Amino acid sequence: MTKDGVQGAAEETDQAQSKKGLKKQQKEAEKAAKKAEKQAKLAADQQTTDEDDFAKDRYGVSPMVQSSQRLDRVLVRVQELTLEKSDQLIWVRARIHTSRAKGKQCFLVLRQQQFNVQALVAVGERASKQMVKFAANINKESIVDVEAVVRKVEQKIESCSQQDVELHVERIFVISQAEPRLPLQLEDCVRPEGEGDEDGRATVNQDTRLDNRVIDLRTTTSQAIFRLQSGVCQLFRDTLMNKGFVEIQTPKIISAASEGGANVFTVSYFKTSAYLAQSPQLYKQMCICADFDKVFCVGPVFRAEDSNTHRHLTEFVGLDIELAFNYHYHEVIESITDTMVQIFKGLRDKFQTEIQTVGKQFPSEPFKFLEPTLRLEYQEGVAMLREAGVEMGDEEDLSTPNEKLLGRLVKEKYDTDFYVLDKYPLAVRPFYTMPDPTDNKYSNSYDMFMRGEEILSGAQRIHDAQLLTERAIHHNIDLEKIKAYIDSFRFGAPPHGGGGIGLERVCMLYLGLHNVRQTSMFPRDPKRLTP
Amino acid sequence: MPMYQNKGTDEHPVVRALEARQDEIMRRLYELKAAVDGLAKTVTTPDADVDLTVTTLSQSPVTTAFRGTSDLDTLLGKDLGALRDIVINANPAQPPLTLLVLHAMLCQQYRVLSSVHVHSSVSAVPTQLLSCLGLRHADSYLRQRFQLGFTLIWKDVPKLQMKFSIQNMCPIEGESNVARFLFRLLAPYPSDPALATLVDSWVDTAFFQLVEGSTKERAAVLRALNSALGRSPWLAGPEFSLADIACYCCILQTGPPSSTPANVQRWLKACENLGHFRLAQLLLQ
């Protein structure tokens, strides 16, 4: 109805403009015209709807759920929509994943977490033409309540997780409407690496994803990753609880840096300053001295390292273990490696669907491990590297490329993605590391590796105040600053050892992902503080 | 023996008793010889060259079994200051009996760090397979103290596989080939090419005809064994060799034959008396 008016106005201004501007103007005018047309049509539709829509009670936008009534309606989960439910009339709440209208029918894909099902709205005795139109016009990602009959399908629906059935919609109500334009498309987010380039289709880069994390987290891949991560935590807790460990909570605001002062965050603390804990190390050890015997702790850990790599975050979740042992620190190694193996086994047995879902977007070889875990000594590792042509000194620390190469060599010989490297040179470990009794060049310390990347660093700690003081002096550490720590060992301390694992790294390496940000829900790094 | 057989082919109780006594004496002689060989080995260990010259001088076609080849450097190449670890991937459905026997023999000669692992590709492994390499060495926390590593991994592999020096060697496939490799660490092959080939051929016969063959084939092998053992106490002459280990283990694996010829029976007894096969036997129970 406004079509003519708009065009007329556009023509008037045309003359004053250049040719380029003219074209642009024309396009804009056309756009406006189209928009107007659409609106007009919509209004007209509305009219006809009001006039003769027999199904007008069967669809629409529900009033905001403000808990004004409590319905006895059972909402079935999408996951449960299988052949057993066929020919039943059920209610489902789900998101509109995609919609495709085709004449008198409209296909919707309804999504709930990592599961989705095809739904069909077709003109018939239950649905009117207007209802189909309404269904087709619901914005993507809106949440809807749907009443539908479950029907068996002739051919499997390959694009959905529920392949054997589809829903024949009888009623559809919008519970929460999404804005029409999404900052990124979910399909683009789950496209396997490299595939988008070939088809010339869009892929979303990591930063855009992280900027819109809430939407990115809805993808099947993200859903699977974080379900698996929750599984890692649960398996870690369950295994340790069964071994008689006690879960402890330690303060994160501390008065002194625990591992070197350089990479620690300073926070203002009333009239003085404090630090964010780099690890619960000191507190774990104090608990051992306080007769807790075996402790673990799950909590945030902060590192102020300005390293922008694929595997560093400034805040991550640490899974820390510390335990007293009887005679040999290998009791500690065995306890930790057994815990890790239990986690790997639990993931392999209980999270197979999640692993496969992630594998669809980020293909990787399944994680392999040995039970009991393979333990190599540092000298052996160095010998393997030398045999492969790497030149390095006996007491030199492993560089990251060498770590990776050693991981590959170990994988080739033993076919395991998880192993322990024992007996590190004393010189490259922190001051509280117990020296080796036979050779002072080495120490009772160990690293654990997954897919050639370090996930855990641990050692037998010095539980003798005298030796601890000596070692601290050797490392040029101000004794005054660590007085409280050394003092805790003066009143009888059992021999003990432990280690700390980064939850995000374990998930990343288990799934064979390439960036730790993928397994951190809201990652923090030197350049990212939001969302 | 032919003498007695000529006189009275009928089964006379006195003759039988005599035969039994002779067998017993023979067996004890073999045992004695083995013991003396063992002693000789310890005496000649420091200088293996002497041993070699002795055999060449005497023009004996067979070298003494179980020479003290403690010098692993000559056998396995230069020492890199780390444990030489032999990794064997075996399927728990087919436990490699010969390798377990050879492992026990290696342990007598070297300081061997043995460990058993289960790969994530198999879910459940019977407990006796987890302890098939015997008890853990008391020093096993110090890997550098050992000369050889023997790492057995129960894994879902179609064929048994050995990985040793990944930089220089491709993985070795097949139990028989791995057995040959391990046996050479214990004793050199006979220097006589014909005899060495004979040992090899017996090993092949054991794995391809005894284990995988039909009943007919197995019976044929038993006949061949019987005639060979009629000529000499062990399969490849007067010395116990890999041929005996392989054939014994393969017979053990296929179950006792319904009718064992006399020489084979005597030989089976002699093998058992050596004591190398006890663990393998236990495993099959």
Side-chain angles (χ1 to χ4, degrees):
Chain A
M1 54 188 167
T2 47
K3 196 175 169 183
D4 289 346
V6 172
Q7 255 176 358
E11 267 161 30
E12 264 177 37
T13 43
D14 270 354
Q15 294 159 341
Q17 309 234 345
S18 66
K19 260 193 181 172
K20 218 176 186 179
L22 189 120
K23 253 191 185 162
K24 207 172 172 188
Q25 281 280 327
Q26 216 161 23
K27 247 187 198 162
E28 255 168 50
E30 264 167 42
K31 235 184 200 170
K34 261 187 195 159
K35 206 172 168 186
E37 202 174 18
K38 221 175 184 177
Q39 255 170 2
K41 218 172 175 186
L42 215 72
D45 280 349
Q46 203 69 47
Q47 256 181 0
T48 49
T49 308
D50 291 345
E51 277 165 20
D52 58 338
D53 184 4
F54 64 88
K56 65 183 167 204
D57 298 332
R58 296 181 166 274
Y59 65 93
V61 177
S62 283
M64 183 168 34
V65 177
Q66 218 174 351
S67 307
S68 57
Q69 54 177 341
R70 187 168 174 178
L71 294 175
D72 266 341
R73 191 180 285 165
V74 178
L75 293 172
V76 179
R77 301 195 55 78
V78 166
Q79 187 181 356
E80 292 161 8
L81 296 173
T82 52
L83 277 178
E84 283 165 33
K85 286 244 182 331
S86 59
D87 298 324
Q88 286 180 29
L89 185 66
I90 49 104
W91 277 96
V92 170
R93 176 171 295 180
R95 279 184 196 278
I96 303 284
H97 186 59
T98 57
S99 66
R100 192 159 46 91
K102 214 175 166 190
K104 287 187 171 180
Q105 48 190 3
C106 170
F107 287 96
L108 303 169
V109 173
L110 300 178
R111 190 187 82 238
Q112 189 174 58
Q113 289 156 354
Q114 69 267 50
F115 306 102
N116 50 21
V117 65
Q118 178 168 280
L120 170 66
V121 193
V123 176
E125 49 183 283
R126 293 294 188 169
S128 62
K129 208 172 159 187
Q130 291 85 349
M131 180 169 162
V132 174
K133 196 149 231 155
F134 173 81
N137 283 331
I138 302 173
N139 293 334
K140 269 193 203 176
E141 293 301 301
S142 296
I143 300 174
V144 293
D145 271 5
V146 168
E147 189 191 33
V149 182
V150 185
R151 293 265 187 242
K152 191 184 163 198
V153 289
E154 299 287 313
Q155 254 185 347
K156 284 201 168 193
I157 304 162
E158 299 290 343
S159 58
C160 290
S161 65
Q162 310 312 111
Q163 304 195 329
D164 300 321
V165 294
E166 64 177 6
L167 298 179
H168 288 214
V169 176
E170 303 219 330
R171 290 168 208 261
I172 183 162
F173 295 101
V174 177
I175 297 295
S176 173
Q177 201 142 23
E179 284 186 12
R181 280 175 60 87
L182 291 165
L184 44 83
Q185 300 299 315
L186 262 75
E187 302 93 88
D188 299 339
C189 286
V190 295
R191 196 157 289 139
E193 289 166 315
E195 204 173 87
D197 308 335
E198 286 163 28
D199 307 349
R201 279 194 284 194
T203 48
V204 190
N205 70 22
Q206 181 127 36
D207 269 332
T208 318
R209 272 183 207 199
L210 294 179
D211 288 339
N212 301 285
R213 194 59 162 152
V214 173
I215 296 172
D216 181 42
L217 287 174
R218 289 179 192 168
T219 59
T220 49
T221 309
S222 298
Q223 288 283 324
I225 289 174
F226 291 101
R227 268 153 224 281
L228 184 119
Q229 190 174 77
S230 147
V232 172
C233 265
Q234 162 114 38
L235 289 162
F236 181 76
R237 276 208 173 88
D238 287 353
T239 314
L240 291 177
M241 287 291 191
N242 284 338
K243 287 175 187 274
F245 277 73
V246 179
E247 178 161 10
I248 55 164
Q249 305 294 341
T250 61
K252 308 299 170 209
I253 304 175
I254 54 171
S255 60
S258 54
E259 302 170 23
N263 49 9
V264 61
F265 285 111
T266 314
V267 290
S268 78
Y269 196 72
F270 304 110
K271 279 177 185 146
T272 152
S273 59
Y275 306 101
L276 291 182
Q278 292 161 305
S279 86
Q281 170 84 29
L282 307 188
Y283 295 95
K284 285 190 302 180
Q285 286 191 260
M286 285 188 211
C287 286
I288 296 297
C289 293
D291 283 351
F292 278 95
D293 201 34
K294 297 168 171 181
V295 295
F296 73 95
C297 161
V298 179
V301 173
F302 304 91
R303 296 282 157 93
E305 291 168 75
D306 192 9
S307 42
N308 294 287
T309 70
H310 76 284
R311 58 177 194 160
H312 284 95
L313 292 172
T314 50
E315 177 184 346
F316 59 91
V317 178
L319 309 174
D320 277 89
I321 306 179
E322 197 77 23
L323 63 148
F325 62 81
N326 297 331
Y327 295 104
H328 200 285
Y329 74 102
H330 281 179
E331 294 164 33
V332 176
I333 296 190
E334 272 157 32
S335 193
I336 299 177
T337 51
D338 181 60
T339 306
M340 295 305 291
V341 167
Q342 295 307 323
I343 293 175
F344 300 148
K345 275 183 162 177
L347 293 178
R348 178 188 69 184
D349 298 341
K350 291 184 202 153
F351 289 85
Q352 208 39 250
T353 36
E354 280 79 4
I355 293 168
Q356 274 162 11
T357 308
V358 177
K360 268 182 213 155
Q361 187 178 358
F362 304 104
S364 73
E365 266 193 51
F367 191 81
K368 291 174 180 168
F369 54 91
L370 297 177
E371 188 186 9
T373 304
L374 179 72
R375 184 182 66 87
L376 299 174
E377 282 177 16
Y378 196 80
Q379 277 181 294
E380 261 180 290
V382 173
M384 280 173 96
L385 284 171
R386 283 189 186 147
E387 209 185 343
V390 175
E391 284 178 28
M392 65 178 289
D394 273 341
E395 288 181 75
E396 203 178 307
D397 202 2
L398 284 180
S399 63
T400 311
N402 282 349
E403 273 179 9
K404 283 204 166 164
L405 176 60
L406 183 58
R408 277 220 305 279
L409 295 174
V410 170
K411 173 96 190 247
E412 206 175 318
K413 184 156 178 181
Y414 298 92
D415 199 27
T416 174
D417 288 308
F418 179 61
Y419 71 98
V420 183
L421 199 59
D422 193 14
K423 296 269 171 223
Y424 267 67
L426 185 60
V428 303
R429 307 298 274 201
F431 75 96
Y432 49 73
T433 309
M434 182 67 88
D436 183 89
T438 49
D439 188 349
N440 262 340
K441 267 187 354 187
Y442 294 96
S443 64
N444 292 347
S445 62
Y446 43 85
D447 273 9
M448 294 182 190
F449 294 89
M450 278 172 74
R451 299 201 202 245
E453 292 193 44
E454 182 237 303
I455 54 145
L456 176 141
S457 206
Q460 176 185 351
R461 331 287 189 190
I462 299 174
H463 59 281
D464 178 84
Q466 177 98 38
L467 181 59
L468 192 58
T469 317
E470 273 172 38
R471 294 298 305 164
I473 292 170
H474 185 264
H475 277 253
N476 293 323
I477 291 168
D478 184 2
L479 288 178
E480 268 312 302
K481 275 192 178 168
I482 54 163
K483 189 170 176 298
Y485 174 63
I486 293 180
D487 280 348
S488 27
F489 300 104
R490 289 193 197 281
F491 313 105
H496 63 283
I501 317 163
L503 174 64
E504 287 87 351
R505 267 196 203 178
V506 171
C507 293
M508 164 178 88
L509 295 168
Y510 184 84
L511 292 168
L513 301 175
H514 304 306
N515 198 311
V516 73
R517 288 162 189 81
Q518 285 171 310
T519 53
S520 174
M521 205 166 243
F522 298 103
R524 290 286 174 269
D525 62 38
K527 288 178 183 155
R528 181 174 289 280
L529 203 51
T530 52
Chain B
M1 255 205 300
M3 267 196 322
Y4 297 120
Q5 276 164 1
N6 283 346
K7 267 187 187 172
T9 30
D10 291 334
E11 298 269 345
H12 201 276
V14 183
V15 178
R16 254 193 292 165
L18 251 166
E19 262 184 88
R21 262 182 68 193
Q22 195 184 14
D23 280 352
E24 178 65 17
I25 290 165
M26 286 294 279
R27 189 183 63 75
R28 280 166 65 182
L29 269 170
Y30 285 131
E31 272 178 290
L32 226 111
K33 188 179 186 311
V36 170
D37 278 350
L39 274 170
K41 180 181 71 188
T42 50
V43 172
T44 51
T45 299
D47 201 347
D49 290 342
V50 173
D51 204 349
L52 205 102
T53 45
V54 167
T55 42
T56 40
L57 276 177
S58 61
Q59 293 294 316
S60 152
V62 230
T63 48
T64 334
F66 301 117
R67 267 194 315 170
T69 39
S70 64
D71 198 6
L72 280 169
D73 282 1
T74 51
L75 281 168
L76 295 176
K78 69 173 165 35
D79 186 13
L80 283 159
L83 182 73
R84 295 182 167 95
D85 199 1
I86 300 171
V87 178
I88 289 165
N89 295 316
N91 197 319
Q94 295 135 11
L97 297 183
T98 41
L99 303 191
L100 299 184
V101 172
L102 287 167
H103 165 260
M105 291 167 78
L106 280 168
C107 284
Q108 286 173 359
Q109 202 160 327
Y110 301 106
R111 289 194 306 280
V112 181
L113 176 65
S114 334
S115 46
V116 182
H117 297 271
V118 179
H119 190 260
S120 52
S121 57
V122 290
S123 46
V125 170
T127 42
Q128 73 260 32
L129 291 187
L130 295 178
S131 54
C132 65
L133 295 187
L135 292 171
R136 203 160 74 158
H137 199 287
D139 273 348
S140 63
Y141 55 89
L142 274 173
R143 288 174 71 92
Q144 299 302 332
R145 277 203 190 156
F146 294 87
Q147 292 172 298
L148 262 186
F150 191 97
T151 304
L152 178 63
I153 300 175
W154 296 115
K155 186 177 168 185
D156 185 19
V157 280
K159 233 179 182 186
L160 185 126
Q161 199 180 44
M162 182 190 87
K163 288 182 182 178
F164 179 57
S165 167
I166 47 167
Q167 299 295 332
N168 312 314
M169 277 164 73
C170 66
I172 308 292
E173 283 201 335
E175 186 175 337
S176 51
N177 298 324
V178 177
R180 287 178 178 117
F181 177 87
L182 292 181
F183 193 77
R184 280 185 187 217
L185 299 178
L186 289 162
Y189 258 42
S191 51
D192 175 21
L195 211 53
T197 315
L198 183 67
V199 171
D200 267 340
S201 117
W202 274 120
V203 173
D204 278 345
T205 308
F207 282 97
F208 294 114
Q209 283 171 297
L210 267 177
V211 178
E212 288 167 25
S214 62
T215 356
K216 254 188 184 168
E217 268 181 286
R218 236 173 287 156
V221 175
L222 280 178
R223 279 198 298 278
L225 278 173
N226 196 45
S227 69
L229 290 167
R231 289 190 293 271
S232 56
W234 301 107
L235 281 174
E239 305 294 340
F240 180 72
S241 72
L242 182 63
D244 300 288
I245 300 175
C247 288
Y248 181 86
C249 286
C250 289
I251 287 177
L252 207 65
Q253 209 170 334
T254 50
S258 45
S259 59
T260 326
N263 291 331
V264 177
Q265 233 163 30
R266 176 183 52 75
W267 166 79
L268 284 175
K269 264 260 165 64
C271 285
E272 271 157 37
N273 287 331
L274 287 176
H276 297 315
F277 300 98
R278 220 162 284 145
L279 258 170
Q281 282 164 332
L282 276 176
L283 209 63
L284 284 179
Q285 278 164 13

